[in-house]
Amino acid sequence: MAQWTSAVGTAQLARLITSQQERPAVPGARKAPAYRTLADGIRLLVLEGRVPVAARLPAERELAVALSLSRTTVAAAYEALRGEGFLESRRGAGSWTSVPAGNPLPARGLEPLPPESLGSMIDLGCAALPAPEPWLTKAVQGALEELPPYAHTHGDYPAGLPALRRMLADRYTERGIPTMPEQIMVTTGAMGAIDAICSLFAGRGERIAVESPSYANILQLMRAAGVRLVPVAMGAGLSGWDMDVWRQVLRDSAPRLAYVVADFHNPTGALASEEQRRAMVEAARSAGTVLIADETMAELRLDPEPAMPRPVCSFDPAGSTVVTVGSASKAFWAGMRIGWVRAAPDVIRSLVAARAYADLGTPVLEQLAVNWLMRTGGWEEAVGMRRTQARENRDALVAAVRRELPDWEFEVPGGGLTLWARAGGLSGSRLAEVGERVGVRVPSGPRFGVDGAFEGYVRLPFTVGGPVADEAAVRLAAAARLVGTGEGGAAEPPRTFVA
């Protein structure tokens, strides 16, 4: 009986492997044999989760033709992968991917680092900061004081607590977008919000236009839902959104949904102008596309200039074209899993009705905590602390990377939590793999793209500062040297680092 549970097409695998090799050669790098390059490429695809475990690979002859290699080269690569535990084969059943005993299964998103690894590993994988105390404790204490009346109810509020819905509606109104509580649904984080929106609007096989690059976990959520992702290229650096390209994609592909992060885009940090926002909404309306505007980074403005543009939903105040998603997770704390959706009342009713078959509702205590923060002014105080910390971390990380890795290219964003860096002609996938062995965890560019794009990039979040940022850059530079000289297997185990 075959052990594989899915299959990777020949053209798809060839495209993924080719994308790894489309980068400038590094001076002094040793050229590996063709079979070794192919085996390493497939192994990296498995480790990153871009090729699933237990996925049947193409036959040797088919892959050889697609890659313009000899069948002997492909056979040698497959044999090397079998010897390393990354491939299993059976006569008549073909070959399928695996992981060696003791290796963790790869995750396609950016899962948090286990706490037991924090002593020796600097984690640049997750763009989240520690809680802004004392405000977390104060908020929980305030929520506990307000909990008793709710404890006498069933506790299920599919649309969210009425008090928090009113608070969120009032905050949109204060921003110049008149909003009723009926236009708000509270969710379990922004991921829960986007999952609900995709389930409502886009069934399996439907198209969703996404920025390229875009947020890795959202891309994986959409892939898991069985939709067809339509990538729309971002401009270079912080130039952001090319509206001529967006108009063409929306017109030609007619996607059911489009997903954008207009406020300090993850991962590039770009900020869309008012003109771009207006044009985006108009293009979506003309194409009959529902536009998801992700505002999770909107409150993390780190520099005084430029001034913040109006929200995307201000160009569609009724919420018929734009569905806005917000969250406490980036602006306050990732452990506070409170998100929300702002849309037209009929969209909110449909989302709430569908929730009966999902999670039923969001935890009451956490909703009370967020409501307490927003009502008392604690939210503004806590977000102010978050901005200061993120700004200091950004400046420390930028200085350290420029010192240790002067050939890396990036533009410094004015907000958000992430730096998008071109890694000096190196493979982001290999940097991520070797980085873990020298004690720094960094996500590679292809996690943020579709079909293997951005192999030459890594994302660096502003989650560490001071001496830790310096040490992170030192370890990244060590990984870059190993990758650049073809000695990725020679990394020493990381030393314990205490800030």
Side-chain angles (χ1 to χ4, degrees):
M1 180 178 177
Q3 300 295 309
W4 50 274
T5 57
S6 62
V8 181
T10 304
Q12 178 189 8
L13 183 59
R15 186 167 61 250
L16 290 170
I17 291 170
T18 302
S19 72
Q20 295 178 324
Q21 301 165 354
E22 291 176 347
R23 59 184 190 277
V26 179
R30 296 183 300 189
K31 185 174 178 61
Y35 87 89
R36 185 69 262 173
T37 299
L38 177 58
D40 286 347
I42 295 174
R43 175 172 53 83
L44 282 170
L45 292 172
V46 173
L47 287 172
E48 284 212 326
R50 289 188 285 147
V51 168
V53 175
R56 187 176 186 272
L57 297 186
E60 295 170 0
R61 188 187 303 278
E62 295 174 2
L63 188 59
V65 171
L67 293 173
S68 299
L69 296 172
S70 70
R71 183 178 178 183
T72 301
T73 298
V74 177
Y78 277 18
E79 182 59 33
L81 289 168
R82 278 190 287 268
E84 296 164 1
F86 286 94
L87 196 69
E88 296 182 23
S89 303
R90 181 173 298 165
R91 185 179 299 276
S95 300
W96 57 92
T97 56
S98 61
V99 292
N103 276 40
L105 289 176
R108 297 200 56 168
L110 303 180
E111 71 286 356
L113 188 69
E116 61 269 19
S117 302
L118 294 176
S120 60
M121 185 73 69
I122 297 176
D123 186 12
L124 297 181
C126 188
L129 292 164
E133 289 287 29
W135 291 107
L136 175 61
T137 298
K138 288 184 176 182
V140 174
Q141 290 172 342
L144 285 171
E145 292 175 0
E146 298 175 5
L147 182 61
Y150 296 94
H152 295 292
T153 73
H154 49 63
D156 286 337
Y157 295 87
L161 292 184
L164 182 55
R165 295 178 75 194
R166 284 194 300 272
M167 178 63 68
L168 293 168
D170 290 345
R171 290 175 69 87
Y172 277 106
T173 300
E174 291 168 3
R175 294 169 68 190
I177 309 104
T179 303
M180 304 178 294
E182 292 79 10
Q183 290 179 264
I184 300 292
M185 181 176 83
V186 181
T187 63
T188 307
M191 292 288 290
I194 294 170
D195 186 33
I197 295 165
C198 291
S199 297
L200 179 64
F201 285 102
R204 297 189 69 85
E206 294 273 11
R207 295 184 179 91
I208 299 181
V210 295
E211 297 146 329
S212 183
S214 187
Y215 179 37
N217 287 340
I218 293 298
L219 294 180
Q220 179 55 16
L221 181 155
M222 292 176 177
R223 290 188 187 101
V227 302
R228 298 164 63 187
L229 298 180
V230 182
V232 187
M234 295 283 287
L238 300 178
S239 61
W241 297 259
D242 185 329
M243 291 316 306
D244 288 338
V245 174
W246 270 98
R247 290 187 189 94
Q248 180 178 349
V249 169
L250 295 181
R251 181 179 63 248
D252 295 348
S253 299
R256 189 70 184 90
L257 290 171
Y259 170 76
V260 298
V261 186
D263 299 285
F264 307 119
H265 175 260
N266 187 354
T268 68
L271 178 67
S273 66
E274 285 207 5
E275 292 73 17
Q276 288 171 325
R277 295 167 190 240
R278 179 183 292 106
M280 182 78 71
V281 174
E282 291 174 353
R285 184 180 292 118
S286 297
T289 298
V290 174
L291 182 64
I292 305 173
D294 186 337
E295 288 190 336
T296 53
M297 296 284 190
E299 297 199 59
L300 294 175
R301 178 189 177 194
L302 306 184
D303 294 334
E305 298 293 338
M308 284 297 293
R310 286 181 289 169
V312 175
C313 61
S314 67
F315 302 101
D316 178 50
S320 57
T321 295
V322 178
V323 177
T324 302
V325 172
S327 172
S329 297
K330 297 297 185 184
F332 185 74
W333 184 47
M336 188 68 76
R337 305 304 304 161
I338 298 295
W340 53 86
V341 178
R342 182 200 179 275
D346 62 317
V347 173
I348 295 297
R349 286 193 294 271
S350 297
L351 289 170
V352 171
R355 199 169 193 181
Y357 308 101
D359 63 357
L360 293 178
T362 301
V364 169
L365 188 64
E366 293 184 26
Q367 292 187 70
L368 288 172
V370 171
N371 188 61
W372 183 93
L373 284 165
M374 292 180 172
R375 190 183 72 247
T376 62
W379 179 267
E380 283 70 26
E381 293 281 349
V383 172
M385 292 174 59
R386 173 66 77 239
R387 292 192 189 106
T388 298
Q389 184 180 15
R391 185 185 306 113
E392 292 173 351
N393 286 357
R394 178 198 63 181
D395 295 346
L397 186 64
V398 165
V401 172
R402 282 176 171 165
R403 180 179 64 250
E404 301 293 338
L405 294 151
D407 58 335
W408 285 25
E409 302 171 38
F410 54 84
E411 291 189 38
V412 182
L417 288 172
T418 58
L419 190 72
W420 185 239
R422 186 191 296 271
L426 300 176
S427 161
S429 298
R430 286 173 169 79
L431 280 168
E433 181 194 17
V434 177
E436 294 224 16
R437 286 187 264 145
V438 300
V440 60
R441 184 170 182 262
V442 59
S444 65
R447 288 180 179 265
F448 304 88
V450 177
D451 286 339
F454 309 109
E455 182 60 49
Y457 289 81
V458 294
R459 189 193 74 171
L460 306 175
F462 314 143
T463 52
V464 296
V468 185
D470 292 337
E471 178 68 13
V474 168
R475 296 184 185 187
L476 280 173
R481 285 192 295 272
L482 291 169
V483 172
T485 58
E487 298 176 359
E492 296 181 357
R495 65 185 185 274
T496 299
F497 180 77
V498 179

